[in-house]
């Protein structure tokens, strides 16, 4: 086997516990398909813009592959491969009948008009429509994409394949979307945080929280934390941040951020940058923005006692080690942010059965799924005396390895 890259360190720690052979490790780590496409689109000024799109289908042993589409300038081969692999373990941790995939376009969506974004999305579908679909690989929103992008995606896909609403999830409600999909990841994060404190004999109510990111995931995480009586004392986004040791009023901040393009400058708060956020004295730190934020440099300044990873891959292995040594408990991404893919699964099931479930039913089903996953991970962590991340990987990798073995190779 070749030397593991950083993202595979977590995999091998769990694979060692499971005594997985080198050959099986190679099979589990190698993506099934890794595609990179050219996207040439007419821009509003008449010129042609050239972009690069990616789709990595990591593993389909447990079912069709599932994973988001990210529009961000830093999207590249390695990031998409890493995130596709995370999706394989994540869908297995919450026991969905899926494998893992991920895709994206290297672009800053804020630099394009709505028309340009639509043309770019449609061109991407033109390039990959024959490798995705309801039974093979189902995209969903991620950073820089939303339900509108998913609606364009579905419409373009259907031009080739006919009525197929299950080809993508995270669609608008009016176009075969699912109640509660938009809030799902943030809701799941809060279910996990709540369960974590419950297991520790504590309450989420009254806990102080520092949150990085106020987009889809960050906003709903903040909203549900606020509803449950937690005190959010610091928030940053890409433009800046705000802090108030007495707690930020989240409904007001959400309104403010909408009209002011971010949280910076919120009345009754102090300005704050990411370093200040990590160094904020609080019970719980929630990274809900980019990957790679908690590093060997930033981990030592973290003041929180607990971390719940809402973002994908926010903690480097070096930082993870530092948190372990410092006794900071980390609920890992493949467990904590699985609410989004879980409700995406509910959307896919409804689309395939042509039914529509009410919001309360979705929320109840999500609570059950996330709680069961948390409890299974917690049990492994206790039995094997390993951190929650290793326990989650043991659960996910164990399920994928078993399915791979049972199916056989021909
Ligand atoms: P989004 O684009 O809606 O929001 C991203 C947020 O991060 C924005 O508030 C942005 O201002 C902030 N941000 C960007 N750069 C920053 C920086 N340098 N410092 C501080 N804040 C910064 O994206 P999202 O959908 O909320 O996704 C956030 C994270 O959650 C990503 O890691 C994503 O992969 C992960 N995730 C998303 C979902 C989902 O359903 N959307 C599901 C699982 C995981």
């Amino acid at each position: 086997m070749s030397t593991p890259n950083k993202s595979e360190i977590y995999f091998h720690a769990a694979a060692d516990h499971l005594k997985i052979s080198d050959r099986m490790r190679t099979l589990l780590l190698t993506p099934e398909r890794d595609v990179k496409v050219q996207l040439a689109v007419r821009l509003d000024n008449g010129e042609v813009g050239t972009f690069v799109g990616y789709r990595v289908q990591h593993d389909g042993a447990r079912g069709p592959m599932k994973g988001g589409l990210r529009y961000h300038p830093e999207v590249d081969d390695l990031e998409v491969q890493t995130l596709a692999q995370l999706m394989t373990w994540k869908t297995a941790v919450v026991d969905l009948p899926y494998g893992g995939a991920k895709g994206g376009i290297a672009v800053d969506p804020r630099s394009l008009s709505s028309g340009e974004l639509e043309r770019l999305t449609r061109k991407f579908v033109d390039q990959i429509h024959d490798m995705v679909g309801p039974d093979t690989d189902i995209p969903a929103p991620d950073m820089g994409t939303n339900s509108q992008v998913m609606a364009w995606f579905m419409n373009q896909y259907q031009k080739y394949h006919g009525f197929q609403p299950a080809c993508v999830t995270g669609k608008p409600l009016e176009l075969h979307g699912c109640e509660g999909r938009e809030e799902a990841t943030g809701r799941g994060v809060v279910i996990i945080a709540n369960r974590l404190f419950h297991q520790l004999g504590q309450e989420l109510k009254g806990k102080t929280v520092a949150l990085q990111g106020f987009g889809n995931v960050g906003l709903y995480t903040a909203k549900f934390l606020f509803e449950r009586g937690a005190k959010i004392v610091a928030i940053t986004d890409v433009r800046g941040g705000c802090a108030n040791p007495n707690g930020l009023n989240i409904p007001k901040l959400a309104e403010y951020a909408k009209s002011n393009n971010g949280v910076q400058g919120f009345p009754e708060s102090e300005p704050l940058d990411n370093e200040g956020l990590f160094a904020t004295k609080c019970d719980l730190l929630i990274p809900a923005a980019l990957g790679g934020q908690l590093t060997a440099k930033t981990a030592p300044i973290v003041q929180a006692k607990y971390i719940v990873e809402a973002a994908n891959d926010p903690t480097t292995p070096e930082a993870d080690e530092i948190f372990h040594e410092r006794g900071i408990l980390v609920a890992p991404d493949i467990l904590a942010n699985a609410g989004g893919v879980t409700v995406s699964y509910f959307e896919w099931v409804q689309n395939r059965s042509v039914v529509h479930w009410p919001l309360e039913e979705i929320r109840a089903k999500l609570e059950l799924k996330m709680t069961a996953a948390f409890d299974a991970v917690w049990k492994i962590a206790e039995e094997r005396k390993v951190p929650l991340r290793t326990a989650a990987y043991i659960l996910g990798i164990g399920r994928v390895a078993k399915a791979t073995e049972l199916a056989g190779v021909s």
Side-chain angles (χ1 to χ4, degrees):
M1 254 188 334
S2 56
T3 318
N5 71 34
K6 276 189 176 184
S7 67
E8 290 167 6
I9 288 174
Y10 300 139
F11 171 89
H12 288 292
D16 289 348
H17 275 274
L18 291 165
K19 301 195 171 35
I20 290 180
S21 70
D22 283 357
R23 281 178 193 279
M24 179 58 102
R25 290 181 198 216
T26 304
L27 179 58
L28 291 177
L29 286 173
T30 310
E32 288 187 18
R33 184 147 50 162
D34 186 341
V35 168
K36 191 169 171 178
V37 292
Q38 181 210 62
L39 305 169
V41 249
R42 183 75 59 192
L43 301 175
D44 291 348
N45 64 8
E47 289 178 11
V48 174
T50 306
F51 303 89
V52 178
Y54 304 82
R55 189 74 188 166
V56 173
Q57 297 175 334
H58 176 253
D59 191 290
R62 289 171 41 87
M65 290 168 272
K66 188 90 187 80
L69 270 190
R70 178 176 284 199
Y71 289 1
H72 192 274
E74 278 162 32
V75 166
D76 63 15
D77 300 272
L78 183 63
E79 182 184 75
V80 180
Q81 284 160 11
T82 303
L83 294 172
Q85 198 196 116
L86 280 184
M87 286 306 297
T88 299
W89 317 135
K90 188 185 301 182
T91 52
V93 165
V94 272
D95 206 10
L96 304 177
Y98 284 146
K102 199 80 181 189
I105 302 176
V107 63
D108 180 356
R110 292 171 307 176
S111 69
L112 298 185
S113 69
S114 173
E116 289 168 336
L117 263 186
E118 176 177 350
R119 292 195 289 280
L120 182 62
T121 302
R122 289 185 186 277
K123 181 51 82 72
F124 192 37
V125 179
D126 290 341
Q127 297 282 52
I128 64 163
H129 74 88
D130 55 353
M131 63 177 275
V132 297
D135 291 317
T136 44
D137 176 3
I138 309 125
D142 193 78
M143 274 183 80
T145 58
N146 54 23
S147 59
Q148 175 62 76
V149 174
M150 298 305 118
W152 292 327
F153 193 107
M154 179 183 84
N155 181 267
Q156 192 68 9
Y157 183 86
Q158 294 191 145
K159 287 181 182 166
Y160 294 99
H161 302 278
F163 181 66
Q164 294 285 357
C167 71
V168 68
T169 58
K171 301 178 294 289
L173 264 181
E174 301 80 356
L175 214 54
H176 308 281
C178 175
E179 304 285 346
R181 172 60 186 88
E182 201 179 295
E183 67 174 38
T185 307
R187 198 172 182 83
V189 168
V190 178
I191 292 170
I192 294 299
N194 190 50
R195 197 72 192 158
L196 177 71
F197 288 121
H198 173 82
Q199 286 286 4
L200 296 166
Q202 303 177 29
E203 272 197 26
L204 178 57
K205 194 171 174 205
K207 289 280 183 293
T208 50
V209 184
L211 175 68
Q212 186 192 38
F214 206 53
N216 170 285
V217 180
L219 175 65
Y220 282 105
T221 298
K223 183 173 179 280
F224 295 126
L225 283 171
F226 186 80
E227 278 178 17
R228 293 200 189 204
K231 205 155 69 166
I232 298 139
V233 293
I235 299 188
T236 54
D237 63 23
V238 70
R239 290 187 180 83
C242 60
N244 183 339
N246 299 318
L248 295 157
N249 183 315
I250 298 303
K252 279 192 186 159
L253 180 60
E255 281 303 309
Y256 176 88
K258 220 189 288 173
S259 42
N260 291 277
N261 234 341
V263 300
Q264 198 174 22
F266 183 55
E268 291 174 35
S269 74
E270 293 298 314
L272 184 79
D273 60 10
N274 278 329
E275 220 163 277
L277 179 97
F278 298 142
T280 298
K281 209 166 168 9
C282 60
D283 298 304
L284 176 62
L285 171 65
I286 304 184
L290 304 171
Q293 293 295 293
L294 300 168
T295 61
K297 187 166 162 254
T298 53
I301 63 171
V302 167
Q303 293 295 309
K305 300 180 213 70
Y306 308 97
I307 296 173
V308 173
E309 294 181 342
N312 278 314
D313 203 20
T315 308
T316 66
E318 293 86 352
D320 204 47
E321 191 59 41
I322 293 170
F323 293 143
H324 188 55
E325 280 162 13
R326 293 183 55 203
I328 297 172
L329 209 59
V330 182
D333 49 4
I334 58 171
L335 169 67
N337 71 27
V341 72
T342 301
V343 175
S344 270
Y345 163 65
F346 298 156
E347 180 174 331
W348 180 79
V349 170
Q350 291 169 83
N351 290 158
R352 308 204 79 175
S353 338
V354 203
V355 293
H356 189 81
W357 299 340
L359 179 61
E360 286 320 309
E361 190 173 339
I362 301 281
R363 286 179 166 179
K365 283 183 156 75
L366 177 65
E367 182 103 28
L368 279 177
K369 268 274 177 214
M370 297 297 291
T371 306
F374 179 91
D375 290 353
V377 169
W378 188 267
K379 188 161 176 270
I380 293 171
E382 281 198 326
E383 283 172 0
R384 293 189 182 246
K385 304 203 177 350
V386 292
L388 290 173
R389 188 187 310 281
T390 310
Y393 272 78
I394 288 173
L395 182 63
I397 294 169
R399 284 175 172 162
V400 178
K402 189 73 195 167
T404 307
E405 232 174 73
L406 287 169
V409 178
S410 65

